[in-house]
Amino acid sequence: MRRDNQSSVSEFLLLGLPIQPEQQGMYYALFLGMYLTTVLGNLLIILLIRLDSHLHTPMYFFLSHLALTDISFSSVTAPKMLMNMLTHTQSISYAGCICQAYFFLMLADVDNFLLTSMAYDRYVAICHPLHYTRIMSQNLCFLLVVVSWVLSFANALLHSLLLARLSFLRSNTLPHFFCDLSALLKLSSSDTTVNQLAILIVGSVVITLPFICILVSYGYIGATILRRPSIKGICKAFSTCGSHLSVISLYYGTIIALYFVPSSNSTNDKDVFVSVLYCLVTPMLNPFIYSLRNRDMKGALRNILSRTK
């Protein structure tokens, strides 16, 4: 998309994390360890699901796609942040910034839709167990994943095209460690009304609607359990849904803290640190949550290790 010559900026400067220079080495080692844990942990989940036939079910089909999305999501921001910390550079090209914002939005949306699909899967499994195999067919699972990617692609493309038409005359310095959409809109010298309207309307569809679907699904699950209360049923439901609920709490908790809770002061340090939780900590914790709290995953890991021995 052609932009006005006046507004042409060749690069943005990422100020990065608000940490002291003498602490750069410690934080670099910490974030590198977190990123490697994210990649290796989620790759392990994909490998276990691929190799163990007992995990070839709709729930683990969605989980494998969630693990792949988490690897990609962290890889959008973490390598650039680590490289900037290592080389003490702050620049990112204009095209690179738009691309980073696009992939960040797309993969965050895919995560959101996959979590919703997993909640629906748990709803069918607990509320309609006799019809589970018929309802959660292979075709439906593939359709839900494809729709998740298509809707996420369309949403990210819309915001990226609207972002590319903005001018940046005042400054090219972003007080962030990646090209966050909200930070770019604050930096722009153009009228961002259309962008804000798109965020409000499309965001309600992409974020709020799936979140409501998750709440409704677990509302029905809770009602079904209370209708036939038993210690065995409650323990089974908790073991089935506990891991997923933990991931949902992490995912939406950071979103609410980042975009819906106002900062207590004029600085955006809080937003930057919460973004670290959102981009690095949550994807890193997912493998631990699904492996430590899931008997099927632990059993599959034991089987693979015993087969290797």
Side-chain angles (χ1 to χ4, degrees):
M1 183 179 291
R2 287 188 62 187
R3 293 174 294 129
D4 194 307
N5 290 334
Q6 290 182 323
S7 65
S8 185
V9 290
S10 60
E11 63 179 20
F12 290 97
L13 296 179
L14 300 174
L15 295 184
L17 298 169
I19 55 179
Q20 299 299 320
E22 60 270 15
Q23 297 176 323
Q24 287 275 348
M26 180 185 69
Y27 277 99
Y28 176 82
L30 174 64
F31 294 141
L32 178 61
M34 292 168 63
Y35 176 62
L36 292 177
T37 303
T38 299
V39 173
L40 295 176
N42 283 289
L43 281 176
L44 178 62
I45 285 181
I46 296 171
L47 183 66
L48 290 177
I49 294 172
R50 176 68 179 170
L51 295 179
D52 195 318
S53 58
H54 295 96
L55 301 181
H56 293 176
T57 62
M59 180 66 177
Y60 293 105
F61 173 75
F62 294 130
L63 178 57
S64 64
H65 282 271
L66 182 68
L68 177 63
T69 305
D70 281 340
I71 294 172
S72 306
F73 183 63
S74 291
S75 299
V76 169
T77 56
K80 179 61 179 174
M81 178 186 71
L82 291 169
M83 187 180 71
N84 287 356
M85 292 177 72
L86 184 65
T87 60
H88 301 287
T89 59
Q90 297 178 313
S91 62
I92 182 172
S93 67
Y94 176 85
C97 190
I98 299 297
C99 287
Q100 189 181 58
Y102 167 78
F103 284 108
F104 179 86
L105 290 169
M106 183 182 73
L107 293 166
D109 292 343
V110 173
D111 251 4
N112 185 40
F113 287 122
L114 287 175
L115 289 174
T116 307
S117 300
M118 293 168 76
Y120 177 70
D121 173 81
R122 294 300 84 204
Y123 158 74
V124 176
I126 294 175
C127 299
H128 304 284
L130 299 179
H131 304 286
Y132 178 77
T133 306
R134 179 179 59 83
I135 296 174
M136 296 303 298
S137 63
Q138 190 178 48
N139 290 337
L140 178 62
C141 293
F142 276 114
L143 179 63
L144 288 173
V145 170
V146 169
V147 169
S148 298
W149 281 96
V150 170
L151 290 179
S152 303
F153 168 81
N155 177 54
L157 182 63
L158 171 65
H159 289 300
S160 299
L161 291 175
L162 291 175
L163 182 62
R165 58 186 283 275
L166 298 179
S167 303
F168 297 92
L169 299 176
R170 291 194 293 262
S171 173
N172 68 335
T173 303
L174 282 170
H176 222 300
F177 64 91
F178 74 100
C179 292
D180 180 56
L181 178 62
S182 59
L184 286 167
L185 293 183
K186 291 176 184 177
L187 188 66
S188 173
S189 55
S190 303
D191 182 10
T192 60
T193 304
V194 177
N195 301 72
Q196 300 288 354
L197 191 61
I199 292 173
L200 179 64
I201 297 173
V202 181
S204 63
V205 176
V206 172
I207 299 294
T208 309
L209 191 58
F211 184 55
I212 292 173
C213 291
I214 292 173
L215 292 179
V216 170
S217 296
Y218 277 101
Y220 276 109
I221 289 172
T224 301
I225 295 170
L226 293 175
R227 213 176 294 138
R228 298 188 295 270
S230 69
I231 300 299
K232 184 180 178 181
I234 292 173
C235 291
K236 185 178 180 181
F238 182 76
S239 66
T240 305
C241 303
S243 301
H244 186 236
L245 280 172
S246 301
V247 172
I248 288 173
S249 301
L250 275 172
Y251 181 82
Y252 284 102
T254 50
I255 286 180
I256 291 170
L258 188 58
Y259 295 109
F260 295 97
V261 177
S263 300
S264 58
N265 50 51
S266 59
T267 67
N268 71 328
D269 289 358
K270 183 268 295 182
D271 293 341
V272 174
F273 280 113
V274 174
S275 294
V276 172
L277 292 177
Y278 185 53
C279 298
L280 286 176
V281 178
T282 301
M284 180 192 69
L285 290 179
N286 286 356
F288 292 101
I289 292 171
Y290 279 106
S291 59
L292 296 177
R293 301 190 59 173
N294 190 296
R295 287 179 297 179
D296 293 335
M297 293 296 294
K298 288 189 286 187
L301 182 58
R302 281 194 297 266
N303 291 339
I304 297 299
L305 292 177
S306 62
R307 210 181 301 171
T308 303
K309 290 179 182 179

